Every structure is written in C-alpha cells, then in structure tokens.
Amino acid sequence: MVIQGYPDPGPGLRLHLNENTGGCSPRVLEAIRRVRPSDVSTYPSYRDAIAATARHFGVNPDWVLLTNGLDEGILMAAVGHIARTRIHDAETIIPLPAFDPYPNSTAAVGAAAIRVPPGRDFAFPTEAVIDAITPRTRMIFLNTPNNPTGQLIPIEDLRRIARAAPGAVVLIDEAYIEFGGTSFLPELPACPNVLVGRTLSKAYGLAGLRVGIVIGQPPALDPVRAVTLPFNINGVALAALDAALGDAEFLPRYAAQVQESRERLYAACRRLGLEFWPSAANYVLVRVGDTAPFVAALAARRIHVRDRSKDPITAGCIRITAGMVEHTGAAIEALESVVGSEQSS
Ligand SMILES: Cc1ncc(COP(=O)(O)O)c(C=O)c1O
C-alpha cells in the first residue's frame, strides 16, 4: 500500500536515509523505560535537556535551541530570518548538491534560492559562494560533510564565507560531523552570524525520536527561537537525550563501524568498476549509470538505497548508507550480484 506523502520501501535493510543501522545506545532504551506517567501527562520541561546539551557541546545554554529534528531547525531558521522580517526580495545561497530542505525552506518563506554548482568531483565552490553574496542574501546553507557527496568544507572556507556575509545568517549543517571532519563549534564565539546545526538522528541513532540542535549566538539564534513553537520536542525524546549524549562509548564504537564500512564499500566499488567519492560521512555516493533498474534490483534483494538521479548534479548515482559492517557486507553482496547480472545480460 502506498500512502501519499509517506514513502516506505517496505521490509529489508534500510540504507537509503543514513540512519544508524546499529540502533541506539541501550542507555536510551533504559531511559525511555523509566519514563513516568507524569512525564507523559505534562508538557515537557526543557531546562535540564538544554543544560545537558550545552554542557556536552561546550557552549552557553542561551546559545542552544532544541528542534524537532534538524529539519525543523532548518525551516525555523528560514522562517525566523526571512519570513519574519518580511523582506520581499530575500535570497538564500545553496551550494549544490544540496539537502532538499534548504531549497524547500527557501521556497516556503518566499525567498529566491541562488544555487551554486560544485567544481570537478564535487569540489566545494568557495569563491563562487562568496561571489554570489549580495545585499539581498539573508541565509547561506552550508553542509559539511555534504549530503550526498560526503565531502567536507575546510574550516577556513567556512570562516571566510561567514565573514563575507555579515548581513546574512550562515547555517552550517553538521548532521554527519561525528563521522569525520572538525566541527565549527569552537569558532562560534567569533562568528555572531553563524548557526551550527546538529542532530541526534544519525550517529546517536535517535531518528525516530526527532531531536535536532541549533547552536548560535543570540543575534543568529534568537530570531529562530522566536518562531519555534513551544513544546516542539516530546517528553520521551527529552528523556532519551541525556542518555544518548551521556554514553561516551557508543559513538566511537559506531563511528569505527562506519569507517570500516566505507573502506569496504570503496574496495567493492573498485572491484566492480564503479566510480565513487570518498566520504567523511556514514554513506558513500556511487555512480552506477541507469539508477532506476539498479535500485529496483537491489530492493528486490531487500537492500534499500537512495536514488540520486533526480538531481542532475548527481545523475546516475546512488547513495548507500555505511553503517554496521555486517549490514555493509549484505549490501556489497547485493551490489555484486546486481552488477554481475547486468554484465551477463
Ligand atoms: C544534511 C542533513 N541535515 C539535516 C538532516 C535532518 O536530520 P533530522 O531532521 O533527522 O535531525 C539530515 C537528514 O537526513 C541531513 O542529511
């Protein structure tokens, strides 16, 4: 059964949304089991969760906003900085390829998206982004590591862009930073126009609970806070947050699985003659050619991957989540069998 607006690939291994294929910390499940009736019957209190989050990221609690997934944070940033100001000719800058909520949020607030194509092999177009800045630029969406390429933006380039656009808010989306690269967070005290976006959906394995974090100085964060609905995070997710952030062993253990999985996927691509791009995140972008039959053949083997062909910049490519090594092994077997049957037909 297909329900409009709710795509579901059906049973099988979900390697299409970059979720944590190993689940979440057992401490998270224990914390959820300890939820009391009053945690459910009352509106949640955010104080302890904000304090724990601020401590974890080493920032002032006034710089932290919890959102219903980082998706909500992205939309609310656009609402707070564009819709709320009623500036009618606002522009956002979106380097390509980009995560869909950036253009979608831009459209939702009636702004124009200025799309900046990448260089060869998806090289980040720093100079072109700086050249695209105008007095109309209200927001710049930067994503490091990039979804779907897995490429990082050097910290110095992030700093240069933030300095070049003092009249705009620069949202640095670090949804996958736990898997590779260096966070921009230590730079925030020098950058009043930057918001850093984080999520507990990926490395921490809480995609089903919906917790995103937007961090920034008051000039950048307060307009977002002003439009974010009260009680946007539910009480069960709040109970899980402290447990997720507090399990210091969970993250490095999973990041090691992801690193090994990436290496195995690279090796498989080399063996199979498929072009791929080395990734700092928990997925790998692979060029397979005609994607639709390829994705369907993998799905028939119960391996669900993301078809990236809709975006001309990543035409002919699929994106495969690199999670637990065991799951990557199953994906590689399926890849080998699909490429093998293509070659013999
Ligand atoms: C680049 C990027 N940013 C943000 C998100 C949103 O994460 P969530 O809303 O689950 O916190 C995702 C999820 O796929 C993503 O890929």
Side-chain angles (χ1 to χ4, degrees), residues 112-335:
I114 307 300
R115 294 172 167 83
V116 181
R120 197 184 151 80
D121 276 328
F122 304 114
F124 185 75
T126 306
E127 302 307 326
V129 168
I130 291 173
D131 288 347
I133 297 168
T134 73
R136 296 179 299 282
T137 309
R138 294 268 77 85
M139 281 193 73
I140 304 177
F141 293 99
L142 304 177
N143 180 203
T144 178
N146 173 275
N147 176 6
T149 69
Q151 297 207 8
L152 293 165
I153 308 173
I155 293 281
E156 179 50 28
D157 294 35
L158 296 171
R159 237 189 258 129
R160 280 185 60 208
I161 294 168
R163 273 198 226 114
V169 164
V170 179
L171 175 62
I172 302 179
D173 180 338
E174 296 186 340
Y176 301 96
I177 200 75
E178 293 87 357
F179 301 115
T182 308
S183 174
F184 195 76
L185 281 177
E187 310 290 328
L188 268 190
C191 299
N193 63 331
V194 170
L195 293 170
V196 170
R198 302 288 286 259
T199 177
L200 300 196
S201 293
K202 310 296 180 179
Y204 294 91
L206 301 194
L209 289 179
R210 314 302 299 126
V211 183
I213 306 160
V214 182
I215 305 172
Q217 291 197 40
L221 190 64
D222 287 353
V224 189
R225 197 194 297 287
V227 294
T228 302
L229 296 173
F231 311 121
N232 58 335
I233 315 285
N234 71 73
V236 178
L238 286 181
L241 180 141
D242 197 23
L245 295 178
D247 188 344
E249 282 150 36
F250 181 79
L251 214 81
R253 219 184 297 133
Y254 188 62
Q257 290 278 318
V258 168
Q259 191 175 348
E260 174 65 23
S261 282
R262 288 190 310 230
E263 294 299 331
R264 290 189 187 201
L265 278 169
Y266 303 158
C269 289
R270 283 191 199 101
R271 273 197 312 278
L272 298 171
L274 298 173
E275 188 179 13
F276 67 94
W277 288 268
S279 167
N282 64 336
Y283 47 82
V284 177
L285 188 70
V286 180
R287 180 164 283 142
V288 299
D290 193 2
T291 52
F294 201 96
V295 170
L298 285 175
R301 290 162 175 82
R302 297 197 160 206
I303 304 287
H304 304 295
V305 300
R306 182 69 181 269
D307 187 344
R308 286 289 320 183
S309 264
K310 196 180 65 175
D311 181 349
I313 300 248
T314 49
C317 294
I318 60 172
R319 191 194 63 204
I320 308 174
T321 299
M324 299 299 281
V325 170
E326 162 201 357
H327 298 140
T328 306
I332 289 171
E333 262 181 40
L335 274 177

Side-chain angles (χ1 to χ4, degrees), residues 93-115:
I93 296 178
I94 305 180
L96 299 177
F99 183 50
D100 286 340
Y102 309 155
N104 293 349
S105 300
T106 300
V109 298
I114 307 300
R115 294 172 167 83

